[in-house]
């Protein structure tokens, strides 16, 4: 291209830019803004009020939803005559860069909580920061007369300069967070194995704050990425309807003032994801391991240095598919039953869940020598039955109990009582916490397979849990939890010294052995 | 993040199941065992809602059953949970003089079961289904409070219908109950018992109601049976039920459970503000913990020494009643708060307003003068306490400050603003079934009108019973809590030498 042509092109480009500027300056100012399109969220029918109450689930009507012009997705739960207002800002963390996850994201969320707490002198609000699966949640509890003001306050907090709040949040977390203990180290390592991820992404490590491992710019980046409205979900539980509130100043301010700060390219708002679960969950499910515990390929036992001089801890876990209400409810029921005997935890994230067993290996003490009751003397020592060291004795005993519990067929009454306790406690806890439907909605997000399921997920799961039979539970246990016959997907981590690892590996060398059944 | 959440999951899941039973751990131990279904009714599903039979939203059905039990039922549809509160209008005020702490200990004895209920079955019924359970004891009311899943309502109602029927008096159970009572927290009142008794005109308040001494341990089975029968029966009780069904349906669930009890007149005492001036005089100087000398045993039916006695005419005639009290610093102005929810709500608002009043300019008020307020809330025996400081004429200072709250006064708007804040907090509190049931249990004891008789039934608005309606009306303070703004109606506690 000749210089003349280039000049002419440049001239044209300059002209086009002028026209574009004029359009932006005047054209948009005169354009009438369309109100956001509010939809009733009823792809799947919500359970009838009686049905929901009967199955110990909240009787919420079909909620409304809208994607605001800034890309924020809003789910709005309407309850007539409630005097309270609950807002829950759900900020996903799975899409953040690895360096911004974990501690950095927590500092950013804490800073936002501090900004929101500044509303309290003029508004009757209370702020809570709660962790969720792959997300951080900020709950604001207020009164219904201040809905508009609280939404404006939220816009203030999200559009202001966060530098001061970030520094304050860092200082507060430094004093509050405890160093990582064996539990946290083991759980994060195990989850990293199951998810094919880096353990640091699973940890909230205060050491990063102490050693200035997180710079101010990194915290600011975390803030910007975490508070991107195109990724977030706002759940509201209020007396008004979204269709009534959509035109108010509070919603307008939230839309206008809270803008994404990560990507300044225009035009991406239209591509904001309207599906909540697609925003909140990683795009692909975690790659499950193909390992077993007792047969090839055997999961490698990974060792993590202990944080102090505590006792060694073994954490065994596996990924379990939970795509349907039946699978989810069976997983929960089995966890509740096992919880009566061991420390067993279950985290459900829609189509998959992680189940972990936490077994401390020391603390059994010296084995008590058998006494001949007739003679009152110690029986002669047998070299072959010499007690093993406490570490492996404990492990063997725990594994034996786990095996025995998994082989037991529960009674229908056991299952019903476990289901009643779980479901009842969930509702009672929600009532004591102020009947905040957004908290239950957040729980429902973890149970739903798709957005259409969210409103009915708690009720469906409750119904499936109450309908579970002993045969179903036994079959499920054998398929997923039996130490010898279950499907692959296991992993284990030991937090302890090298000697502990060698002890456990020596015990496992010939395969898992169990204690003999007691003689009658 | 997933890992961090897993660490929290166990705690979060266990929390509701292990929550708020006030009874000691020993009591909840049997609760871990499965509830016996042999004697309890089975779980009942929620009956479908029938719109035609549904009372208007925000109403309470108030009924007196033939056995003398008052039942208050209300609906809450937010979540499938129900609250059940059995409130007994008896408290440590009704302890016999020779048995201080008796009622408090007997409240724990009611957890020990009877022929129908095994020990701690009430606790187990709530907690085995994920619910919470609590026991609250006070000067003039005892409450057994439970919050349960709605599907567990029938078993819980059945437990409450059996609780007062011949409670066990086995010696080992009584000694266990005494142990629980002894380990309970003591009251943290700012007033000494004898001062509280004087303020309310109720000699029964003049002792520590949570003591568990040797006289109680020496009670034999016969005496224990007599005391239980005298203090606890359904004619002095109120059963409050809040659930997802209509108030009428809830009442229909409750009524048959008490149908087999013999008819009895309602006997709940109305705790009026007592005859303060009649007992004016030195209050046991120097013996802070001693019971007043006039605290004599009373017949079981006479639960309230001040009941029905009108205040003397001279009480509002110029200056406050002064009560010399040993070890008293300065002057303390105390008002008894009438035993209803509306008065309690207004006392809270008034106290908040007093603590937020700005000082008047000199010479109207000395520069260093200050006034602090405390409201000691109790369902039936609340007190409002004002402590002036650095004021030469304390009565004039307090009078001037209170006068500013009168209609049209300088601080009338401040009082209204505080009333609005209290109303907002109250509205949020009664939003949940547990909060509403507790607030309804605190509502005034009402005697059925003449001719109402047994099976009397009426409806109220929730706002009326919880005090919300009164808070919305600026003129209601003078109506529901007369005297709170008048120095003349206060009791002034002062050191003996300072007595005029």
């Amino acid at each position: 291209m000749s210089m003349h042509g280039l000049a002419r092109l440049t001239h044209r480009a300059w002209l086009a830019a002028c026209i574009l500027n004029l359009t932006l300056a005047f054209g948009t100012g005169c354009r009438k803004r369309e109100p956001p399109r509010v939809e009733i969220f009823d792809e799947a029918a919500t359970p009838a009020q009686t049905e929901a109450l009967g199955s110990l689930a909240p009787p919420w009507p079909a909620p409304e939803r809208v994607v605001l012009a800034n890309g924020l997705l809003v789910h709005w739960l309407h309850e007539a005559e409630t005097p309270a207002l609950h807002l829950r800002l759900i900020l996903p963390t799975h899409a953040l860069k690895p360096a911004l996850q974990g501690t950095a994201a927590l500092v950013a969320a804490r800073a936002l909580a501090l900004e929101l707490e500044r509303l309290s002198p003029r508004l009757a609000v209370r702020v809570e920061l709660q962790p969720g699966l792959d997300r951080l949640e900020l709950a604001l509890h207020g009164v219904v007369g201040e809905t508009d003001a609280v939404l404006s306050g939220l816009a203030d907090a999200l559009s202001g300069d966060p530098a001061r709040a970030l520094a304050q949040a860092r200082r507060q977390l430094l004093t509050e967070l405890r160093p990582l203990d064996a539990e946290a180290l083991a759980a994060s390592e195990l989850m990293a194995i199951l998810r094919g991820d880096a353990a640091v992404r699973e940890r909230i490590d205060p050491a990063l704050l102490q050693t200035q491992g997180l710079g101010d710019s990194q915290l600011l980046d975390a803030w910007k990425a975490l508070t991107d409205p195109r990724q977030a979900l706002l759940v509201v539980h209020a007396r008004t309807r979204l269709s009534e509130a959509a035109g108010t100043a509070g919603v307008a301010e939230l839309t206008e003032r809270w803008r994404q700060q990560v990507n300044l390219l225009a035009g991406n708002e239209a591509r904001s994801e309207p599906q909540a679960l697609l925003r909140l969950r990683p795009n692909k499910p975690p790659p499950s391991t193909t390992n077993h515990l007792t047969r090839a390929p055997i999961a490698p036992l990974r060792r993590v240095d202990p944080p102090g001089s505590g006792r060694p801890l073994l954490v065994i876990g596996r990924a379990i598919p939970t795509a349907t209400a039946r699978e989810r409810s069976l997983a929960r029921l089995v966890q509740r039953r096992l919880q009566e005997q061991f420390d067993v935890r279950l985290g459900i994230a829609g189509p998959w869940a992680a189940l972990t067993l936490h077994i401390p290996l020391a603390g059994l003490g010296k084995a008590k020598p058998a006494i001949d009751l007739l003679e009152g003397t110690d029986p002669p020592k047998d070299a072959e039955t010499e007690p093993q060291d406490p570490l492996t004795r404990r492990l063997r005993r725990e594994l034996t109990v786990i095996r025995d519990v998994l082989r037991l067929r529960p009674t229908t009454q056991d299952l019903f009582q476990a289901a009643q306790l779980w479901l009842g406690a969930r509702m009672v806890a929600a009532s004591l916490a102020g009947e905040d439907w957004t908290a239950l909605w957040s729980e429902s997000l973890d149970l739903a397979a798709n957005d259409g399921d969210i409103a009915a997920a708690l009720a469906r799961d409750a119904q499936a849990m109450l309908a579970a039979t002993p045969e179903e539970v036994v079959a499920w246990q054998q398929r997923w939890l039996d130490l010898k016959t279950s499907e692959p997907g296991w992993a284990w981590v030991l937090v302890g010294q090298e000697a502990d690892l060698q002890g456990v590996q020596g015990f496992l060398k010939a395969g898992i052995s169990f204690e003999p059944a007691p003689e009658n | 993040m997933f890992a961090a959440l897993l660490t929290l999951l166990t705690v979060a899941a266990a929390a509701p199941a292990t929550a708020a039973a006030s009874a000691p751990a020993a009591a909840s131990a049997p609760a871990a065992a499965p509830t016996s279904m042999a004697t309890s009714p089975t779980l009942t599903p929620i009956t479908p809602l029938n719109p035609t039979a549904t009372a208007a939203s925000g109403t309470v059905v108030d009924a007196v059953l033939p056995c003398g039990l008052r039942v208050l039922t209300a609906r809450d549809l937010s979540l499938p949970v129900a609250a059940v509160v059995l409130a007994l209008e008896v408290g440590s005020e009704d302890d016999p003089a020779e048995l201080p702490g008796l009622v408090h200990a007997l409240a724990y004895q009611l957890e020990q079961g009877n022929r129908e209920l095994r020990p701690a079955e009430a606790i187990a019924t709530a907690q085995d289904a994920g619910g919470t359970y609590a026991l609250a004891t006070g000067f003039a009311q005892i409450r057994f409070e439970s919050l349960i899943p709605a599907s567990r309502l029938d078993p819980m109602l059945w437990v409450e219908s059996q609780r007062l029927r011949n409670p066990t008096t086995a010696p080992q159970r009584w000694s266990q109950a005494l142990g629980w009572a002894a380990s309970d927290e003591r009251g943290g009142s700012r007033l000494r018992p004898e001062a509280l008794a004087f303020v309310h005109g109720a000699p029964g308040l003049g002792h520590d109601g949570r003591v568990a001494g040797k006289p109680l341990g020496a009670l034999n089975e016969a005496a224990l049976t007599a005391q239980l029968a005298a203090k606890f029966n359904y004619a002095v009780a109120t059963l409050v039920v809040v659930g997802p069904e209509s108030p009428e349906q809830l009442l229909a669930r409750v009524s048959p459970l008490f149908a087999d009890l013999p008819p009895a007149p309602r006997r709940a005492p109305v705790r009026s503000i007592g005859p303060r001036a009649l007992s004016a005089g030195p209050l046991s100087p120097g013996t802070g913990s001693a019971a007043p000398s006039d605290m004599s045993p009373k017949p079981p039916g006479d639960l309230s020494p001040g009941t029905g006695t009108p205040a003397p005419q001279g009480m509002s005639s110029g200056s406050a009643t002064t009560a010399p009290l040993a070890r008293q610093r300065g002057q303390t102005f105390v008002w008894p708060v009438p035993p209803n929810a509306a008065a309690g709500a207004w006392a809270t608002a008034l106290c908040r307003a007093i603590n937020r009043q700005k000082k008047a300019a000199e010479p109207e008020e000395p520069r260093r003068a200050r006034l602090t307020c405390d409201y000691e809330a109790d369902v039936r025996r609340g007190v409002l306490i004002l402590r002036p400081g650095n004021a030469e004429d304390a009565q004039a200072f307090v009078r001037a400050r209170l006068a500013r709250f009168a209609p049209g006064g300088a601080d009338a708007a401040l009082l209204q603003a505080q009333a609005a804040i209290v109303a907002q907090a109250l509205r949020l509190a009664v939003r949940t079934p547990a909060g509403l049931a507790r607030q309804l249990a605190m509502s005034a004891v009402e005697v059925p009108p003449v001719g109402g008789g047994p099976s009397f039934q009426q409806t109220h608005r929730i706002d009326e019973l919880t005090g919300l309606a009164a808070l919305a009306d600026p003129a209601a303070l003078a109506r529901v809590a007369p005297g709170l703004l008048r120095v003349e109606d206060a009791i002034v506690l002062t050191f003996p030498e300072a007595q005029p």
Side-chain angles (χ1 to χ4, degrees), chain B residues 4 65 83 112 117 121 146 167 196 237 251 297 322 453 492 497:
Chain B
L65 301 185
Q112 298 282 28
L117 301 172
E121 183 164 345
S146 51
L196 189 67
L251 180 61
T322 302
V492 183
E497 282 80 358

Side-chain angles (χ1 to χ4, degrees), chain A residues 308-321:
Chain A
S309 56
R311 57 189 181 180
L313 174 74
L314 180 69
V315 177
I316 305 174
R318 68 161 302 135
I320 294 169

Side-chain angles (χ1 to χ4, degrees), chain B residues 3-414:
Chain B
L5 193 75
L6 272 176
T7 314
L8 296 171
L9 277 174
T10 316
V11 181
T18 56
S22 296
S28 55
T35 311
S36 163
M37 302 304 279
T39 52
S40 308
T42 52
L43 294 174
T44 322
I46 293 173
T47 43
L49 304 177
N50 178 4
T52 55
T54 301
S57 175
T59 58
V60 180
V61 168
D62 179 359
V64 177
L65 301 185
C67 65
L69 173 74
R70 184 189 187 196
V71 183
L72 295 171
T73 56
R75 166 181 261 184
D76 183 299
L77 266 174
S78 289
L79 286 175
V81 293
V84 177
V85 174
L86 182 70
L88 294 150
E89 296 298 329
V90 59
S92 56
E93 178 182 338
D94 306 309
D95 287 340
E98 71 280 11
L99 294 171
L102 174 71
V103 173
H104 178 235
L106 290 181
Y108 278 106
Q109 182 69 9
L110 290 183
E111 301 291 6
Q112 298 282 28
N114 54 20
R115 289 174 197 142
E116 296 294 332
L117 301 172
R118 62 187 166 80
E121 183 164 345
I123 301 170
T125 302
Q127 294 191 345
D128 282 359
T132 61
Y133 183 87
L135 163 64
T137 61
F139 295 122
Q141 192 187 66
I142 288 169
R143 293 192 306 275
F144 299 93
E145 304 174 340
S146 51
L147 179 66
I148 44 172
S151 58
R152 200 71 172 178
L153 180 57
D154 280 347
M156 200 69 227
L157 290 176
W158 183 80
V159 163
E160 296 303 357
S161 73
Q162 301 297 317
R163 187 193 290 274
L164 304 186
R165 303 184 190 201
N166 300 314
T168 181
T169 52
Q172 69 273 22
R173 294 283 168 205
W174 175 235
S175 64
Q176 192 180 33
L178 280 177
W180 295 337
S183 61
D184 222 348
E185 280 181 7
R186 296 298 174 91
S189 174
R190 291 171 182 82
L191 290 185
R192 277 180 265 159
E194 62 269 28
L196 189 67
F198 183 77
V199 168
H200 277 285
L205 292 170
H207 68 288
D208 179 0
R210 297 204 163 185
V211 69
K214 286 181 181 173
L216 294 181
L219 277 180
N220 59 29
E221 279 195 65
L224 194 56
T225 305
Q227 292 291 358
L228 281 165
K231 302 294 182 198
F232 301 122
N233 62 73
Y234 286 109
V236 298
T238 301
L239 183 66
V240 186
V241 186
V242 180
E245 293 178 80
S246 73
E248 293 83 358
Q249 286 172 325
L250 291 172
L251 180 61
R253 282 191 176 198
V254 170
S255 300
L257 298 171
F258 296 90
D260 58 333
L261 287 173
R266 178 108 182 112
R267 289 202 294 122
V270 179
R271 313 269 180 179
S272 61
I273 299 171
R276 296 174 301 227
L278 292 180
S279 52
L283 289 177
S284 313
T287 54
S289 59
S293 57
D294 60 342
M295 197 177 81
S296 54
K298 295 174 287 294
D302 184 13
L303 293 171
S304 176
T307 299
T309 312
Q313 292 297 319
M315 287 195 62
S316 299
S317 60
S319 64
T321 307
T322 302
L325 190 64
R327 290 183 283 135
Q328 173 70 33
R329 284 183 186 175
Q331 291 189 335
T332 299
F333 292 71
V334 187
W335 286 262
V337 177
N340 60 69
W346 265 112
T348 308
L350 183 60
C351 212
R352 287 177 61 92
I354 290 170
N355 286 331
R356 285 163 179 76
Q357 268 185 314
K358 288 183 179 164
K359 288 178 183 173
E362 285 185 289
E364 199 177 323
E365 248 181 43
R367 191 169 56 86
R368 294 179 58 207
R370 57 188 167 74
L371 185 64
T372 56
C373 178
D374 290 301
Y375 170 49
E376 292 203 344
D378 182 86
V379 183
R380 303 286 177 243
R381 294 303 189 189
V383 281
L384 188 78
I385 305 168
L386 284 191
R387 287 195 179 86
N390 302 321
E392 278 187 20
D393 185 349
Q395 289 210 16
F397 173 55
V398 172
R399 183 179 289 113
R401 279 287 186 96
L402 293 180
R404 285 158 55 179
F405 291 121
D411 288 334
L414 173 65

Side-chain angles (χ1 to χ4, degrees), chain A residues 113-286:
Chain A
L114 289 170
E115 290 284 357
L116 293 172
E117 279 168 7
R118 294 202 177 100
L119 300 173
S120 58
R122 63 186 174 91
L123 298 173
V125 293
R126 184 168 55 84
V127 184
E128 284 178 280
L129 171 60
Q130 295 163 351
L133 294 173
D134 282 324
R135 61 181 186 252
L136 291 162
E137 299 184 2
L138 280 147
L140 271 98
H141 310 286
V143 291
V144 79
E146 295 177 344
T147 307
D148 216 29
V150 170
L151 287 170
S152 298
L154 186 60
D156 286 343
L158 285 159
S159 58
D161 179 9
R164 192 179 61 162
L166 284 169
Q168 193 183 352
R170 179 206 287 269
R171 283 195 303 274
Q172 286 190 358
L173 287 172
L174 254 175
T175 59
E176 290 170 13
L177 287 178
R178 290 179 302 167
L180 290 173
D181 58 7
E183 285 277 350
L185 285 171
S188 57
E189 191 71 32
L190 187 84
M191 291 312 303
I193 297 171
L194 291 177
R195 303 179 76 170
D197 211 344
V200 69
R201 292 180 63 170
E202 302 287 339
R203 290 176 185 160
I204 305 292
D205 190 356
L208 280 176
L209 296 169
Q210 285 168 342
T211 56
Q212 296 295 316
L214 281 173
D216 289 346
S217 62
Q218 200 175 349
L219 291 181
L220 193 59
D221 288 345
W223 167 280
K224 288 176 179 174
L226 188 71
T227 60
D228 186 345
R230 298 165 305 170
Q231 305 291 331
L233 168 66
L234 178 66
V235 187
V236 182
H237 174 198
R239 181 187 291 181
T240 51
R241 291 184 189 279
L242 176 58
S243 45
E244 297 160 6
T248 59
V251 174
E253 279 201 47
L254 197 64
T255 310
E256 293 299 323
R257 297 177 57 200
W258 180 17
R259 290 276 166 176
Q260 81 281 10
Q261 299 174 46
V262 178
N263 187 348
L264 297 177
L265 291 174
N268 52 6
E269 288 117 346
R271 294 201 303 274
S272 296
E273 177 54 59
Q275 299 286 314
L277 297 187
L278 293 181
R279 288 185 180 216
L280 299 179
R281 287 186 192 154
N283 293 332
K284 53 182 181 182

